[in-house]
Amino acid sequence: MYQTKKLNIIDNSQLKASSQEIDILIVIDTDYIRSHYTSPSTDPNNPTGIDHNSQHMIASNANALSGQGSADLDFSARAGDVVSFRGTSIYQNSDDAVIIYNIKYWSGEQVFNNFVYNSVERKEAVVPDVKSLNGLPATKADITFASIDSKVRTTGKENFYVQFALYILDPKDSNKQILYGYFYWDPTITVN
């Protein structure tokens, strides 16, 4: 006689990893910065502090505590989560360009480990077909996507600086972008 075993079926929709990836997109209104900060620092170790009127930070809704879409985003994470910041100008870096170069602790509990740059290369990323009226069908291109990432190391609330470089089109050569200055402002993270 054969014996039958009862199988325990696990519902994968109920499984949650102990850590998650949290993506933060930062869009900078560079026109505002250029009109309000006409003599910025050109030293990356001493960036110019800016007000909170030109930055728009977006996190997944599950992680946003308050300030979604503003410069004052307060978001949550857990120890072990990986947080990735990506930045762009309102021009999608085609005229003025933004590069986030540092996320720096300044007060509260130091919840982040060191941040490092990482990249993902897509050999056939889709881009609009500029030869068609509506950009479709999409064409393919080799594109490298970059982010500055850290693993969350502990619980607490950290106030940190987002430091970024702003590049503008060279007035003498519209094919080239040149440094305008280095800037920073101060959001927060809450780790439960």
Side-chain angles (χ1 to χ4, degrees), residues 15 18 34 44 66 98 113 138 167:
L15 293 177
S18 60
R34 290 174 63 187
S66 65
V98 167
N113 285 300
Y167 295 84

Side-chain angles (χ1 to χ4, degrees), residues 84-86 116-122 143-149:
S84 299
F85 289 87
R86 291 172 181 83
V116 295
Y117 250 97
N118 286 298
S119 65
V120 173
E121 294 180 20
R122 301 280 184 227
I143 299 178
T144 300
F145 299 94
S147 62
I148 187 166
D149 311 328

Side-chain angles (χ1 to χ4, degrees), residues 62 65 75-79 81 111 152 154-157 189-192:
L65 296 175
F75 65 97
S76 67
R78 298 178 300 190
D81 289 350
V111 303
V152 176
T154 190
T155 59
K157 185 165 188 165
I189 178 174
T190 302
V191 178
N192 303 333

Side-chain angles (χ1 to χ4, degrees), residues 58-183:
I58 304 165
S60 62
N61 286 331
N63 298 102
L65 296 175
S66 65
Q68 182 77 290
S70 75
D72 296 311
L73 175 66
D74 186 3
F75 65 97
S76 67
R78 298 178 300 190
D81 289 350
V82 174
V83 179
S84 299
F85 289 87
R86 291 172 181 83
T88 186
S89 71
I90 199 74
Y91 300 105
Q92 195 181 359
N93 285 351
S94 65
D95 288 348
D96 293 349
V98 167
I99 295 176
I100 309 269
Y101 69 90
N102 195 16
I103 307 294
K104 184 177 179 180
Y105 165 83
W106 74 273
S107 73
E109 186 72 32
Q110 190 167 0
V111 303
F112 287 122
N113 285 300
N114 290 332
F115 277 82
V116 295
Y117 250 97
N118 286 298
S119 65
V120 173
E121 294 180 20
R122 301 280 184 227
K123 297 294 181 187
E124 294 188 27
V126 294
V127 295
D129 181 352
V130 296
K131 295 176 184 170
S132 79
L133 292 176
N134 64 3
L136 297 176
T139 61
K140 309 269 173 109
D142 292 352
I143 299 178
T144 300
F145 299 94
S147 62
I148 187 166
D149 311 328
S150 176
K151 184 174 267 193
V152 176
R153 66 182 194 90
T154 190
T155 59
K157 185 165 188 165
E158 177 179 336
N159 299 299
F160 59 96
Y161 296 134
V162 175
Q163 297 176 324
F164 67 95
L166 170 57
Y167 295 84
I168 61 173
L169 288 178
D170 184 335
K172 299 173 188 166
D173 181 355
S174 63
N175 290 311
K176 182 167 82 172
Q177 293 170 319
I178 58 173
L179 179 69
Y180 180 74
Y182 296 99
F183 302 92

